[in-house]
Amino acid sequence: MAVPFIDLRRFEPGFLDRWAGKCREITEHTRFVGGPDVTALETQLTQRCEVTGTVGCANGTDALQLCLRAVGVGEGDRVLIPDSTFWATFEAVVNCGGKPVTVDINPEDLQMDFDAFCGAVEEFQPKAAILVHLYGWGSARLAEFRDFCRQRKLPLIEDGAQGFGVRWRGESLYRGAQLATLSFYPAKVLGSCGDAGAVLCSSTELEEKVRQLGNHGRTGHYDHGLVGWNSRLGGFDAAFLNLSLEYFDARVASRQRIAKLYRQRLPELGFKVCEAPEDYEENGYLNVTLLPPEQRPGVREVLQKHGVGYGTVYPGAMSQQSGAEGFLAGRVGGEQAELLASSVLNLPLFAYLRPQEVEEVLSAMEEAVGA
Ligand SMILES: *Cc1c(COP(=O)(O)O)cnc(C)c1O
């Protein structure tokens, strides 16, 4: 039995009919851009993420760019980012005119290393920093990141594209963030029917600034207080997300169950599976299995033979990308991001993955032990 790495078609009974009804309603009322579905989504996200306000936008990359612009990042400004993240984090800085400085990760939680970060702040005097919550959890030292930046008045943007649904110290991961971003790319934990994103704001001033930037700098329909761009959220996306949120808790519970099962069973076979630090309740976004780099090709081969899908998130560090050349303003720390890139393997983990599929993955991994 083949097991896909991800299958986005496992909708709950009744979901597709309800969505079809929604599509008809939106079209009848031509609620294509903005409108009540977008407002309802923003209200829901504000409540769920326990923040002051939310601005829907076109995608998660734009969400980062809106945040960077809102805190004043422009030509030549240095911005700290982790060396292990999705390329969009790097791009967003460059697209705002900034120069990224990469900071190595901590091998324990796989997030940006706090000590290296503090050193990088001293050395590079950045205009802002982006902390990425990767893999469905966050840094073990999140409170220290936030306190340190607040004390130094250094804007800290939290790239939360993978973190929707994560709980930290019993509350939403985003509670207490100055600015955080979400991506609703279909393969994220909360995915849309296209590209979409959002910015979570800790004050109404930031919310207004972000909203203005993402809507042509508008102060009135044809009055423009600043140069922004168009990053508005569509009505279909908002409606799809509102509908999906009704099922979200069940989807996350399903992911968490499977993540837990891998975490129990894979170590019995001798594989190391990463887990969220204390204080976190993960959302089950990704399975992160670490292999000795020399063992990985053999394990992949066995999985391929069994038709089991897998991921390599991410296969390379940001500072090593050919596109980074000419933009990178510095690189702080050791080689942990590269080491992770050469040892990571992600097994299928998505909502409603069936028990017999998990068993299929595990038996392939059992065969791969000697590989
Ligand atoms: C997906 C992702 C993004 C980009 O989001 P898009 O909606 O695809 O633009 C940014 N950062 C991280 C960590 C992501 O996983």
Side-chain angles (χ1 to χ4, degrees):
M1 175 188 28
V3 184
F5 177 56
I6 188 165
D7 184 359
L8 299 177
R9 296 164 303 179
R10 299 196 184 180
F11 301 109
E12 293 84 358
F15 182 95
L16 287 174
D17 288 334
R18 292 184 69 194
W19 173 235
K22 267 280 163 202
C23 287
R24 191 184 169 93
E25 194 186 315
I26 294 164
T27 310
E28 274 173 354
H29 295 93
T30 60
R31 299 203 297 240
F32 298 139
V33 176
D37 296 296
V38 172
T39 305
L41 175 67
E42 290 176 342
T43 303
Q44 276 220 67
L45 293 174
T46 296
Q47 284 168 1
R48 275 190 177 258
C49 298
E50 302 166 21
V51 295
T52 302
T54 302
V55 181
C57 66
N59 54 64
T61 312
D62 264 14
L64 288 169
Q65 287 169 198
L66 287 165
C67 292
L68 289 162
R69 287 283 309 274
V71 301
V73 170
E75 216 51 47
D77 290 329
R78 286 180 292 268
V79 178
L80 303 185
I81 66 166
D83 204 10
S84 180
T85 176
F86 179 56
W87 183 237
T89 316
F90 191 102
E91 282 176 324
V93 173
V94 174
N95 287 337
C96 292
K99 293 206 158 272
V101 174
T102 58
V103 179
D104 202 15
I105 57 164
N106 184 294
E108 294 293 316
D109 58 17
L110 309 181
Q111 317 288 315
M112 184 154 63
D113 186 79
F114 180 66
D115 296 322
F117 174 80
C118 295
V121 171
E122 296 304 330
E123 189 181 345
F124 289 95
Q125 303 291 318
K127 177 86 177 185
I130 304 179
L131 175 64
V132 183
H133 305 308
L134 219 53
Y135 300 134
W137 59 82
S139 169
R141 302 178 72 178
L142 177 59
E144 288 168 273
F145 271 107
R146 286 178 179 168
D147 290 346
F148 179 88
C149 292
R150 205 168 285 124
Q151 277 160 17
R152 303 207 167 215
K153 303 211 181 331
L154 174 66
L156 180 67
I157 296 158
E158 301 186 23
D159 180 343
Q162 303 184 4
F164 192 72
V166 172
R167 312 283 298 168
W168 179 65
R169 297 185 176 171
E171 295 172 334
S172 166
L173 170 62
Y174 306 105
R175 186 189 187 114
Q178 292 174 45
L179 277 168
T181 64
L182 297 175
S183 162
F184 305 120
Y185 176 71
K188 306 286 180 183
V189 175
L190 176 64
S192 191
C193 56
D195 278 310
V199 176
L200 306 170
C201 308
S202 60
S203 72
T204 43
E205 293 74 31
L206 281 169
E207 182 190 343
E208 274 164 29
K209 188 81 187 272
V210 168
R211 201 176 287 288
Q212 203 186 346
L213 280 164
N215 190 15
H216 301 298
R218 276 195 167 109
T219 46
H221 192 67
Y222 288 121
D223 296 312
H224 308 279
L226 47 80
V227 175
W229 70 102
N230 172 6
S231 186
R232 293 178 304 239
L233 183 62
F236 283 100
D237 287 292
F240 189 88
L241 290 164
N242 283 327
L243 186 59
S244 300
L245 276 171
E246 292 186 35
Y247 302 89
F248 184 74
D249 293 345
R251 292 180 187 180
V252 166
S254 166
R255 283 177 176 272
Q256 289 170 332
R257 269 196 304 276
I258 300 154
K260 197 171 154 196
L261 205 58
Y262 280 138
R263 203 162 282 128
Q264 285 166 346
R265 301 276 300 278
L266 287 167
E268 290 170 9
L269 302 174
F271 294 106
K272 177 175 162 56
V273 185
C274 298
E275 65 183 314
E278 224 183 307
D279 288 348
Y280 282 91
E281 184 186 323
E282 67 177 336
N283 62 6
Y285 178 61
L286 267 185
N287 159 265
V288 183
T289 301
L290 297 182
L291 303 168
E294 64 279 7
Q295 196 190 355
R296 195 168 65 174
V299 172
R300 282 171 166 169
E301 218 168 277
V302 176
L303 292 176
Q304 263 161 24
K305 194 182 82 190
H306 284 261
V308 172
Y310 58 82
T312 311
V313 180
Y314 294 97
M318 295 304 95
S319 57
Q320 307 304 307
Q321 302 301 312
S322 54
E325 227 184 276
F327 296 113
L328 197 63
R331 194 175 167 275
V332 177
E335 314 287 320
Q336 293 299 329
E338 281 100 316
L339 183 62
L340 172 64
S342 63
S343 43
V344 67
L345 180 82
N346 315 99
L347 296 172
L349 176 51
F350 52 87
Y352 312 128
L353 183 68
R354 300 173 191 105
Q356 62 269 37
E357 291 175 314
V358 177
E359 291 309 320
E360 181 75 20
V361 175
L362 288 167
S363 78
M365 286 299 279
E366 190 170 359
E367 191 183 312
V369 168

